[in-house]
Amino acid sequence: MFKKILIANRGEIAVRVIQACRELDIKAVAIFSEPDKDGKHVRLADEAWKLEGQPGKVYLDYQQILEIAKRAGAEAVHPGYGFLAENQDFAQACIDHGIKFIGPMPDVIKRMGSKVESRRVMKDAGVPVVPGTTDPVTDPAEVKKLGIKYGYPLAIKASAGGGGRGLRVVRKDEDVDNALSGAQREGASYFGSDEVYVEKYLDKPRHIEVQVIGDEHGNVVHLYERDCSSQRRHQKLVEETPAAKLDPGLKARLLEAAVKGTKALNYTSAGTLEFMVAQDEFYFLEMNTRVQVEHPISEMTTGVDIVKEQILVAAGHPLSFKQEEISQRGHAIECRINAEDVNKNFLPNPGDISVYVEPSLPWVRVDSACYSGYKVIPFYDSLLAKLVVWGRTRQEAIARTRIALRDFKIQGVNTTIPFHLAIMDDPTFQAGEVHTSYVEQEFMKHWKEIAEKYSVTKPASAIASPAGGNGDAAASALPERSEARSFEVEVNQRMFKVAVAELVEPGKARVAATTSGGAPRAAATAPKPKRSTSISTAKPGEIRSTMNGVVKDIVVKVGDKVESGQRVIVFEAMKMESDLNANKTGTVSGIKVKVGETVENDVLLLTIDD
Ligand code: MV4
């Protein structure tokens, strides 16, 4: 097994891969750009290396990344998704450097990167592809002949395309010339290839994909399907598994076809075959040779840790399970919480997240790299968190998702939470009848009428449970209070971002809420302080206990002049010493306790006057 893996990515997927490394007792090497220097993946990793160069490009600089991998002594690289994940040259360069690429072989990445080639492979393997050409097309006359053969509408697609770029729909002969040149032009400018092909256009298909994983011993297993139809402009927003209302016979044939196509490629590692389902038929669309954003819902219903399996397979292990051991249990839904303003057409809106409190509920998983104080920077994608919820039934999963969305407190940027709250209530979504054009062409048409109902812009607040609550008692569905403020505290040498709100009764502010986090400070930062600093949220001039504990030391006396932030009392609670600092500059006017005294939470310990 590998001793050290470099994660060639950032954000939530880098955190996710590091978690898998920790479970396998593998050292994790993070890389980071300047703006990512305080990223959660940097703090969680065993070591972190800074990438030199422009923030928007450094995660693609694979010469530099491989140089770091060699210097760090990483035996393998996990690419995550995006960036270099489907870059065959990077995969080959890893091999050339004697470093294991945790993913499929370079030639498989290359072949699946060509839509024409992947259609050909799948068709030869007996996987249904959309009726159309498997060779490139250049002549408008040929397209018109296909219009007769298959009937309009037709889809003209860039062979190297994906995500909707280079796709043109043709509904009559007169549209052919412009559509053909448009697809060729877009293919050339976005993907460096003007090669295009033609298919019968399917109206309002569902987007159903199949998770597969193969090892280096010829085994291929599917981990069932995911319905990704709730998307907008080819950006997925909600994914779920199982796919609702999928005919069982069609589902069986779909899963069988996915395994057949994967085996035909001698595929290794995790992969996803995308299909369109329309009029009770399914058609292969493309294959993604990486772990996908939405992989957690398949993990929730099958119990398989897909990232761990990728690492085990890359180390030469056979898959940890046989197909017959895999079953789907319950229903899982993922909502992509993006820093996008739904009221402005999902416009990405970077900014500082002043309050970030994740829902803390049974059956809820949040994959994220966010924390209070996190800067959403424009260089990278807008994904803040993936809210993943499991239920025994789809209805239960929807109900739990709704509650979790309500508990999710993010202040400082607009997010897609209002969209998710609304789609969970939508009758078409609830009926499982969403197709790939539904969100954009139907649901969002009514957004302005319903936006107010789903707005969550009230200032979030987060009041942890009173003393005695566990450190993770992240505030969730507690009553709204005043504007929350965020702080960073070190507790037991672990960093916590803390959102604090004063209760409406002035002077009664009692506790600091805790958010997710608790990440160890990055090795690259200052030596670990011996104690934490807790912030009294009492009125300025009043120093109060922030939890039940013992007064360990009083380092000032009445009459002393103190500066705001200066340590005045050493307090011990939960086997941890913490400094209580002055919350204003002035003169110590009263000391209400003695060293060694045990006090409740929120007891007045010391006063400071001007
Ligand atoms: C199609 C199609 C209908 N008919 N091909 C969009 C991007 C790329 N993944 C393929 N796409 C489509 N290809 C034929 N012959 C409809 C789409 C499509 C789509 C497919 C899957 C998921 C979301 C989509 C959104 C719009 C259009």
Side-chain angles (χ1 to χ4, degrees):
M1 176 44 79
F2 308 122
K3 290 187 180 57
K4 191 180 272 193
I5 290 178
L6 181 141
I7 294 93
N9 216 301
R10 63 177 297 281
E12 68 88 16
I13 193 61
V15 169
R16 172 72 185 85
V17 175
I18 293 170
Q19 301 294 25
C21 290
R22 293 170 73 189
E23 278 197 34
L24 292 168
D25 204 16
I26 296 172
K27 294 287 182 216
V29 179
I31 54 173
F32 62 95
S33 62
E34 171 57 32
D36 276 341
K37 64 182 181 302
D38 291 327
K40 189 173 169 183
H41 75 293
V42 174
R43 295 168 186 229
L44 270 181
D46 297 284
E47 59 186 274
W49 294 64
K50 184 164 180 220
L51 292 165
E52 297 305 332
Q54 290 176 32
K57 297 181 177 164
V58 289
Y59 290 102
L60 294 168
D61 181 353
Y62 68 75
Q63 303 299 356
Q64 183 180 178
I65 291 169
L66 284 172
E67 176 60 28
I68 291 171
K70 296 302 279 182
R71 286 168 56 195
E75 300 123 297
V77 169
H78 195 301
Y81 53 67
F83 295 123
L84 296 166
E86 297 183 288
N87 183 318
Q88 77 234 30
D89 297 332
F90 175 58
Q92 189 55 54
C94 289
I95 295 169
D96 299 344
H97 282 72
I99 293 172
K100 183 78 176 181
F101 177 78
I102 299 177
M105 294 307 285
D107 72 294
V108 172
I109 296 173
K110 181 172 189 289
R111 295 175 75 193
M112 291 303 104
S114 159
K115 302 300 176 255
V116 169
E117 167 69 3
S118 62
R119 274 166 57 83
R120 192 177 297 128
V121 168
M122 293 301 160
K123 189 173 181 182
D124 294 349
V127 175
V129 297
V130 182
T133 65
T134 46
D135 297 310
V137 167
T138 53
D139 178 358
E142 187 181 350
V143 178
K144 289 169 187 166
K145 277 192 203 132
L146 293 164
I148 297 165
K149 181 177 179 183
Y150 299 120
Y152 285 116
L154 293 177
I156 301 181
K157 294 179 165 182
S159 178
R165 290 203 190 288
L167 166 68
R168 290 287 191 283
V169 182
V170 181
R171 297 189 183 277
K172 55 185 185 299
D173 279 354
E174 296 72 58
D175 299 342
V176 169
D177 290 48
N178 286 343
L180 181 58
S181 55
Q184 288 169 326
R185 196 171 45 251
E186 206 163 307
S189 60
Y190 281 100
F191 309 103
S193 159
D194 66 355
E195 187 181 272
V196 299
Y197 62 100
V198 178
E199 294 176 347
K200 173 72 183 151
Y201 185 73
L202 306 173
D203 229 3
K204 298 184 178 179
R206 291 175 73 182
H207 179 182
I208 309 289
E209 60 187 30
V210 179
Q211 179 70 60
V212 293
I213 185 153
D215 63 21
E216 296 177 354
H217 309 274
N219 303 306
V220 170
V221 171
H222 73 74
L223 298 177
Y224 289 95
E225 84 285 3
R226 295 187 287 256
D227 185 343
C228 304
S229 302
S230 299
Q231 51 182 285
R232 178 187 169 279
R233 296 197 182 161
H234 310 292
Q235 298 303 316
K236 296 168 183 171
L237 288 161
V238 180
E239 302 101 339
E240 62 179 300
T241 180
K245 291 184 163 175
L246 200 58
D247 170 75
L250 185 146
K251 175 167 169 168
R253 294 197 313 278
L254 176 78
L255 298 174
E256 184 202 0
V259 171
K260 205 165 44 170
T262 306
K263 283 183 170 168
L265 287 164
N266 296 314
Y267 195 85
T268 57
S269 196
T272 297
L273 290 89
E274 290 188 13
F275 294 88
M276 288 185 292
V277 174
Q279 291 84 35
D280 278 343
E281 280 305 324
F282 65 91
Y283 305 94
F284 171 79
L285 200 52
E286 53 200 69
M287 181 170 192
N288 303 320
T289 56
R290 65 179 189 270
V291 65
Q292 299 210 174
V293 170
E294 60 270 24
H295 77 272
I297 57 175
S298 302
E299 296 188 320
M300 300 282 266
T301 50
T302 62
V304 171
D305 182 323
I306 293 169
V307 176
K308 233 163 94 171
E309 282 305 315
Q310 282 189 290
I311 296 170
L312 291 165
V313 160
H317 292 238
L319 288 175
S320 311
F321 40 78
K322 300 272 180 248
Q323 187 68 64
E324 50 272 21
E325 295 168 51
I326 303 296
S327 60
Q328 265 182 319
R329 180 161 180 166
H331 197 99
I333 296 173
E334 176 182 88
C335 294
R336 296 194 189 196
I337 313 298
N338 299 334
E340 295 169 354
D341 189 341
V342 185
N343 298 324
K344 292 182 180 162
N345 233 359
F346 291 82
L347 180 72
N349 68 140
D352 291 359
I353 292 184
S354 52
V355 173
Y356 178 81
V357 181
E358 295 176 349
S360 172
L361 294 162
W363 318 109
V364 172
R365 159 179 169 177
V366 178
D367 283 20
S368 177
C370 270
Y371 47 82
S372 286
Y374 177 72
K375 273 188 182 313
V376 183
I377 46 185
F379 302 108
Y380 309 115
D381 70 22
S382 59
L383 180 67
L384 296 179
K386 299 170 347 192
L387 175 67
V388 185
V389 179
W390 183 88
R392 287 164 299 175
T393 63
R394 184 169 189 262
Q395 289 64 34
E396 187 171 69
I398 290 173
R400 286 171 169 169
T401 298
R402 199 180 280 122
I403 294 168
L405 287 165
R406 284 270 175 231
D407 282 3
F408 217 142
K409 306 291 181 195
I410 301 177
Q411 199 173 328
V413 293
N414 291 299
T415 74
T416 47
I417 288 176
F419 165 83
H420 292 299
L421 283 166
I423 197 85
M424 289 300 134
D425 285 350
D426 177 66
T428 303
F429 178 83
Q430 295 196 341
E433 293 169 358
V434 169
H435 55 78
T436 54
S437 309
Y438 175 72
V439 167
E440 189 166 0
Q441 293 176 7
E442 298 177 49
F443 180 75
M444 286 310 293
K445 267 193 327 210
H446 309 295
W447 179 253
K448 291 223 181 315
E449 301 142 42
I450 62 172
E452 177 58 31
K453 176 181 175 189
Y454 294 104
S455 161
V456 287
T457 50
K458 284 193 299 300
S461 69
I463 312 287
S465 51
N470 70 40
D472 292 334
S476 50
L478 293 174
E480 296 298 331
R481 290 288 186 271
S482 67
E483 179 90 4
R485 292 171 56 217
S486 69
F487 297 84
E488 179 171 73
V489 290
E490 184 106 28
V491 175
N492 233 357
Q493 297 176 359
R494 298 182 77 81
M495 293 310 299
F496 284 86
K497 293 285 183 179
V498 170
V500 176
E502 190 165 14
L503 294 175
V504 285
E505 307 86 64
K508 279 294 210 187
R510 290 192 303 156
V511 291
T514 60
T515 66
S516 70
R521 279 181 80 81
T525 54
K528 296 179 183 23
K530 293 187 296 299
R531 56 165 52 91
S532 76
T533 301
S534 57
I535 316 278
S536 167
T537 56
K539 269 196 336 236
E542 285 189 0
I543 306 302
R544 290 175 173 272
S545 53
T546 54
M547 54 192 89
N548 300 7
V550 177
V551 178
K552 287 289 279 184
D553 194 1
I554 301 172
V555 297
V556 292
K557 60 187 183 306
V558 174
D560 280 3
K561 294 205 179 320
V562 293
E563 293 295 316
S564 176
Q566 177 184 337
R567 184 175 64 182
V568 290
I569 286 179
V570 179
F571 195 70
E572 182 183 292
M574 299 187 291
K575 302 246 180 300
M576 170 204 64
E577 280 195 359
S578 63
D579 293 345
L580 269 178
N581 295 341
N583 58 11
K584 74 175 280 183
T585 297
T587 306
V588 176
S589 51
I591 296 178
K592 315 296 182 185
V593 288
K594 293 183 179 48
V595 173
E597 190 173 336
T598 299
V599 295
E600 291 285 300
N601 173 43
D602 190 36
V603 167
L604 181 62
L605 308 174
L606 181 149
T607 55
I608 300 167
D609 288 347
D610 291 333

